[in-house]
Amino acid sequence: MTGSEDSPAFRLAYVPGVTPSKWVRIWNERLPDVPLTLAQVPATEVCEVLRKGDADAGFVRLPVDGEDLSAIPLYEETTVVVVPKDHLFAAADEVAVADLADELVLHPLDDPLEWERPPGRPALERPATTADAVELVAAGIGLLIVPQSLARLHHRKDLTYRTITDVPTSRVALSWPQEATTDLVDDFIGIVRGRTVNSTRGRRAEPEPKAKRPEKGGARRQQPAGGKGGGGRGTGKPSAKNARRGSGGPKGVKGGKPRRRP
């Protein structure tokens, strides 16, 4: 558990483009006494941040580097091509990868897409970051292929993007060190997977108080002496049946005197 015993905390890393606000909101509702801190980390550094213990868990782009990190795939992103607004592709609804054969396509060092062979013509030098590549696209030097969330993150008024087909996609996952699966990590996994607050694998719900047992020698439910119906032996009172007959006289006798026949 991160933090001191008196003041636990949960540190969450996330790569650019991922928006963790929905899960953070649920965390704050369920665990208001455990603060959650956010840290945006470059995609090329997030795995090392988790290994060093600088974050308890993180949203990463698959694949994760190494087998010492656990990962739960969450969703797959649409891939788009970023172009100037006056580019020919801006008039299309969708672009095929074959359409980029004669285009200069930038391939930054932090590219989250796994290419067997990048499309288009390669640039003489690879930009250091996606942000640098976006600036080059705005300057009219090539195009850029990225997950849609990164195109939105680096949005500019002079640029637009279009969906591109037949290209790799980016998958986002929740990751954490296998040897550091704490209770708080389990709680966050439950939130990301959509478990309810009462789920046995999510945050433990407070146990309901057990019903108190009656104390020994305490009052018990009493039945009339003599069994069901009351008025039995030992009560000193005649039963309803005997009351109709009188005080113990024979059948057909009222008050111990014979009845008169009409």
Side-chain angles (χ1 to χ4, degrees), residues 102-123:
D102 296 328
E103 299 283 345
L104 189 150
V105 179
L106 301 166
H107 185 50
L109 295 176
D110 64 352
D111 188 349
L113 302 175
E114 289 192 303
W115 300 97
E116 290 185 6
R117 182 179 179 183
R121 297 184 294 109

Side-chain angles (χ1 to χ4, degrees), residues 137-210:
V137 174
I141 306 173
L143 309 182
L144 175 65
I145 302 174
V146 290
Q148 185 171 333
S149 65
L150 287 179
R152 290 174 175 170
L153 178 65
H154 298 288
H155 172 71
R156 291 175 52 116
K157 292 182 178 180
D158 52 349
L159 299 180
T160 187
Y161 59 85
R162 294 292 182 267
T163 301
I164 184 168
T165 59
D166 303 321
V167 292
T169 57
S170 173
R171 293 179 298 155
V172 174
L174 176 68
S175 182
W176 67 95
Q178 290 184 7
E179 296 182 356
T181 308
T182 63
D183 288 343
L184 292 182
V185 171
D186 280 336
D187 288 333
F188 195 76
I189 291 171
I191 289 173
V192 169
R193 283 184 161 174
R195 297 183 193 133
T196 63
V197 68
N198 293 322
S199 171
T200 55
R201 295 188 65 188
R203 182 69 175 175
R204 272 79 49 210
E206 293 295 329
E208 296 182 2
K210 295 181 179 180

